[in-house]
Amino acid sequence: MLMAKEKAVKELEDLPGIGPTTAEKLRAAGIDTLEKVATTAPHDLADLAGINVEKAKEAVQAAQDATTIEYETGSAILDKRNILGRISTGSKDLNELIGGGVETNAITEVYGKFASGKTQLGFQLSVNVQLPKERGGIGGNVLFIDTEGTFRPERIVEMATAAKLNPDEILANIIVVRATTTEKQILTVDRADSLIEEKNIKLVVVDSLMSLFRSEFIGRGALGERQQKLNVHIHKLQSLADRHSLAVYITNQVMDNPGILFGDPTTPIGGNILAHAATTRLYLRKSKEDKRIVRLVDSPNMPDGECVIKITPEGIKD
Ligand SMILES: Nc1ncnc2c1ncn2[C@@H]1O[C@H](COP(=O)(O)OP(=O)(O)OP(=O)(O)O)[C@@H](O)[C@H]1O
Ligand SMILES: [Mg+2]
């Protein structure tokens, strides 16, 4: 019996159940290659493409079958990981909790209520990334995307002075973009490549990632579009991290999840798309006086756990 020759899968449209319209939707959401389809969770793909989960599963499977796999030995990966940079948070305990500091080539997300210290940690990292390796830095500069208007140079000066650094130099090495719309936030990341090269940027801060998305896309009807744009935006951030070996630090707001009846209902916003994209997630909450409890909620290689840090005039400490 003659077997019908299977059509080679080369483009999104060649996947089962994906027509031209669906393919365009996916491309608009940043999923523009078979590799990306292959690595997207079927539920997310279904949301983004507006198809049902069964169809999405088939498409993901077909994309996986069609993509060639590059093999790499575990030891080669270990070699690569050993040259990854780590930025000290200022607290030894917190560094240990996350495996040695905030890592490059990855997205670190911190969520928590107001005044929990998310921005303060962003400031501390903006100072510390500039330190030499021996002092917990990686000798690089900062792109700080401020969406809430809370960047405070005075606070950087205070932290830099406490670390016996020249505050003017430290401030000059932090490029601040005040984003007031999601368009500006997105464009800043889309066009960051040349700036990153030119200024030796090793840390990109987005404080906060979601506030503009949250205020611009209101109501159930806008949620799909919001998540699509957000998905593209975080993939671009991850791509910057990979291509330039830099660290991405994002802060995130929280809401009370009514579905959680017992325990702490505090949940980060941004949904699954953000949950999957952040490499390491930390939950910050207020404790007595200047103390804050940091909980590691998601990490690819460290056990979940907690530690206590302090926000002092000199910066983040144990
Ligand atoms: N100079 C300082 N010395 C000591 N503590 C400070 C100093 N500046 C700020 N703080 C502490 O940091 C807190 C503010 O933290 P931060 O601005 O990082 O919160 P956040 O999590 O970013 O909140 P939001 O969600 O409102 O942006 C203050 O309430 C205070 O406790
Ligand atoms: Mg803040």
Side-chain angles (χ1 to χ4, degrees), residues 115 117-120 148 150 207 251:
K118 307 179 291 293
T119 298
Q120 295 298 313
E148 300 184 337
T150 51
D207 183 24
T251 67

Side-chain angles (χ1 to χ4, degrees), residues 19-289:
T21 320
T22 316
E24 268 326 297
K25 268 194 201 166
L26 287 175
R27 288 196 181 99
I31 307 201
D32 52 3
T33 62
L34 291 175
E35 283 78 12
K36 287 188 190 162
V37 176
T39 53
T40 302
H43 275 96
D44 293 343
L45 194 78
D47 284 353
L48 293 168
I51 56 177
N52 69 42
V53 178
E54 279 314 307
K55 268 194 175 174
K57 274 187 192 159
E58 278 173 35
V60 169
Q61 185 61 53
Q64 285 173 353
D65 294 344
T67 45
T68 48
I69 295 167
E70 281 172 36
Y71 294 98
E72 229 180 343
T73 62
S75 40
I77 295 174
L78 185 64
D79 286 346
K80 274 195 208 158
R81 288 198 57 76
N82 285 338
I83 58 165
L84 287 186
R86 296 273 184 180
I87 308 167
S88 171
T89 60
S91 149
K92 263 192 198 144
D93 291 344
L94 178 52
N95 289 347
E96 260 170 45
L97 184 74
I98 57 177
V102 169
E103 73 177 347
T104 58
N105 301 54
I107 298 178
T108 300
E109 177 198 350
V110 172
Y111 65 88
K113 295 195 172 124
F114 66 93
S116 56
K118 307 179 291 293
T119 298
Q120 295 298 313
L121 186 52
F123 291 163
Q124 189 70 66
L125 292 170
S126 299
V127 173
N128 289 3
V129 66
Q130 301 187 40
L131 294 167
K133 201 165 183 245
E134 316 81 72
R135 292 191 60 194
I138 46 178
N141 301 328
V142 187
L143 170 61
F144 197 111
I145 304 174
D146 177 15
T147 73
E148 300 184 337
T150 51
F151 181 79
R152 293 288 176 274
E154 310 86 296
R155 188 63 177 125
I156 300 278
V157 168
E158 206 175 12
M159 288 176 173
T161 309
K164 301 198 165 51
L165 299 165
N166 178 339
D168 294 333
E169 265 173 39
I170 296 293
L171 268 182
N173 291 332
I174 304 176
I175 316 287
V176 184
V177 177
R178 171 77 175 101
T180 46
T181 60
T182 52
E183 278 82 18
K184 185 150 183 211
Q185 182 179 339
I186 288 167
L187 270 182
T188 305
V189 170
D190 289 0
R191 296 193 184 154
D193 284 281
S194 52
L195 181 80
I196 288 171
E197 293 286 327
E198 213 175 287
K199 306 271 184 194
N200 185 33
I201 304 284
K202 285 290 165 195
L203 171 69
V204 174
V205 176
V206 188
D207 183 24
S208 75
L209 182 78
M210 293 299 303
S211 56
L212 296 170
F213 281 93
R214 194 185 213 180
S215 57
E216 282 178 30
F217 297 89
I218 302 164
R220 282 231 150 251
L223 198 60
E225 194 192 348
R226 183 190 91 174
Q227 290 306 88
Q228 258 187 30
K229 290 215 163 127
L230 178 65
N231 188 52
V232 180
H233 185 52
I234 13 194
H235 278 93
K236 294 243 167 97
L237 283 168
Q238 179 64 53
S239 159
L240 286 185
D242 289 333
R243 284 182 292 117
H244 302 284
S245 294
L246 55 78
V248 173
Y249 172 80
I250 61 182
T251 67
N252 194 8
Q253 301 166 310
V254 294
M255 58 173 188
D256 279 350
N257 182 348
I260 298 176
L261 298 179
F262 303 100
D264 188 347
T266 312
T267 312
I269 62 170
N272 275 336
I273 280 171
L274 181 52
H276 291 153
T279 319
T280 299
R281 299 194 109 180
L282 293 167
Y283 171 30
L284 261 180
R285 63 186 199 276
K286 269 188 106 160
S287 176
K288 281 186 194 123
E289 289 138 23

Side-chain angles (χ1 to χ4, degrees), residues 7-18 34 62:
K7 189 168 174 280
V9 174
K10 291 221 166 70
E11 290 174 59
L12 300 190
E13 283 87 346
D14 301 331
L15 294 167
I18 308 284
L34 291 175

